[in-house]
Amino acid sequence: MAQEKIQYPQLFLRLAISATMLSAVADRFGFWGENSAWGNWDNFEKYTKQLTFFLPESLGVFSAYMATFFEILFPLMLILGFKTRLAAYGTGFLLLTFALSMTIALGVKAPLDYSVWIGSAAAFLLASQQNYNYSLDTLTKKN
């Protein structure tokens, strides 16, 4: 019975986390126009280098590409419900890494303003679920 009560909130959580991450990716490719935080890839690379100031510059650029890759991969997995637990843990650790980097580079306010901590916590909560309704995981589960 308890599982039935959370099936829709759990689906909403998967979709909300995914939409948030994909929106950030769209921003760095200029999709949001004047409402963008970065507006283009170059600005996103500069921002990433700022957050990863402790890394060599080449690794800062590489981390921008890797972050973008995972910010596309994990949301798509969550939307489809494919390897949902893995995607949720990956999202949680990715957002936790962002939150820690933002805190070190920009101070405690930035990750709070962008809700990075709550996104990470939500992803870890999603990862702790026993079943994932409305997912490929459920469709392909062997009884």
Side-chain angles (χ1 to χ4, degrees):
M1 184 66 155
Q3 183 63 30
E4 290 174 9
K5 289 182 181 182
I6 65 165
Q7 65 184 349
Y8 295 115
Q10 181 193 97
L11 177 62
F12 178 56
L13 183 57
R14 283 176 29 213
L15 296 176
I17 292 170
S18 298
T20 301
M21 293 177 71
L22 291 173
S23 176
V25 171
D27 184 312
R28 67 192 69 155
F29 292 120
F31 180 80
W32 294 120
E34 293 180 17
N35 295 317
S36 292
W38 305 293
N40 61 56
W41 184 260
D42 289 336
N43 289 340
F44 176 68
E45 267 190 27
K46 288 176 193 170
Y47 178 73
T48 303
K49 288 179 195 174
Q50 184 181 4
L51 295 184
T52 59
F53 67 91
F54 49 88
L55 297 175
E57 187 172 336
S58 60
L59 285 179
V61 172
F62 179 73
S63 66
Y65 284 97
M66 291 308 299
T68 301
F69 173 77
F70 286 117
E71 279 181 284
I72 294 170
L73 178 65
F74 291 148
L76 293 178
M77 291 172 69
L78 290 174
I79 289 168
L80 296 172
F82 177 72
K83 304 286 184 183
T84 309
R85 183 166 286 113
L86 175 67
Y89 273 122
T91 298
F93 284 114
L94 181 64
L95 292 174
L96 180 61
T97 302
F98 290 162
L100 292 171
S101 294
M102 289 174 79
T103 300
I104 293 166
L106 306 174
V108 72
K109 187 176 182 309
L112 292 172
D113 285 353
Y114 289 106
S115 301
V116 184
W117 292 110
I118 202 163
S120 177
F124 287 129
L125 179 63
L126 181 61
S128 72
Q129 300 301 297
Q130 295 300 312
N131 298 304
Y132 300 100
N133 295 306
Y134 310 108
S135 68
L136 290 176
D137 293 340
T138 300
L139 289 174
T140 60
K141 191 177 190 178
K142 295 183 179 176
N143 294 327

